Amino acid sequence: MAGETSDSLDAVDRAILAILQAEGRTGVTEIGRRVNLSQPAVSARIRRLERSGVITGYRAVVDPARLGLSIHAVIRLRTTHARITASLDHFAQLPEITNVYRLTGEDCFLIDVHASSAERLEAIVDSIARFGPVTTSLVLRTYEPKPIAPHRSAMETDGS
């Protein structure tokens, strides 16, 4: 099961994944209605997708502004290889950091921050800057993320 790839997913699997990504609380009976399968068949497919690691979890999507975190910023950090572990340890200590991406190129990290005030953002930026040069950008607006869709195999797309 661990070898599940996009080539082994059929159109129904892709439809189930799209539904769950858009509306994670949709019940299996409703999913079955939408994809024309019985509830047990949908349940079995979802279990297979979970066991194979295609579905890695379920979570609530929370609005940071409703929690008083009205400033969203993206910070790029350029550091040395020797300071990567210390940087990661520091990021883990800051609850305002919600995502960290290790990058190739000049910058080493792209860091997503949700802060309660400009002063708190300044403190976070200053604490990260001890690891190297930072570039901070304020996020003006966030758009709805697109669901992740597996690529169709060549045989499906050419009609063979």
Side-chain angles (χ1 to χ4, degrees):
M1 274 294 152
E4 193 88 44
T5 66
S6 63
D7 288 342
S8 61
L9 301 177
D10 64 13
V12 174
D13 290 330
R14 286 191 291 277
I16 290 169
L17 289 171
I19 292 166
L20 287 173
Q21 287 180 84
E23 308 165 67
R25 292 182 60 141
T26 305
V28 290
T29 302
E30 174 61 18
I31 294 171
R33 187 187 67 70
R34 293 187 195 179
V35 299
N36 297 316
L37 286 180
S38 68
Q39 180 270 329
V42 171
S43 293
R45 282 177 179 257
I46 291 172
R47 277 193 305 277
R48 178 178 50 79
L49 292 166
E50 290 169 344
R51 279 195 310 270
S52 68
V54 172
I55 295 175
T56 60
Y58 300 89
R59 61 188 54 91
V61 178
V62 177
D63 182 348
R66 298 272 183 174
L67 298 176
L69 303 171
S70 58
I71 296 181
H72 184 189
V74 177
I75 301 171
R76 295 188 335 256
L77 169 66
R78 185 178 315 151
T79 191
T80 64
H81 189 72
R83 302 194 83 186
I84 296 283
T85 301
S87 299
L88 288 168
D89 291 343
H90 182 67
F91 303 155
Q93 300 303 312
L94 297 170
E96 294 91 347
I97 293 179
T98 57
N99 289 303
V100 175
Y101 303 94
R102 177 101 184 260
L103 306 175
T104 61
E106 289 189 29
D107 295 321
C108 300
F109 292 106
L110 181 69
I111 307 155
D112 222 4
V113 177
H114 293 273
S116 58
S117 66
E119 293 79 15
R120 181 61 188 148
L121 177 60
E122 179 183 27
I124 293 166
V125 169
D126 289 348
S127 75
I128 293 171
R130 71 180 190 219
F131 297 103
V134 297
T135 303
T136 305
S137 300
L138 291 179
V139 176
L140 299 176
R141 180 178 299 180
T142 302
Y143 297 94
E144 195 66 33
K146 288 175 42 178
I148 297 171
H151 293 287
R152 296 173 192 214
S153 69
M155 288 203 291
E156 281 185 85
T157 56
D158 70 8
S160 303

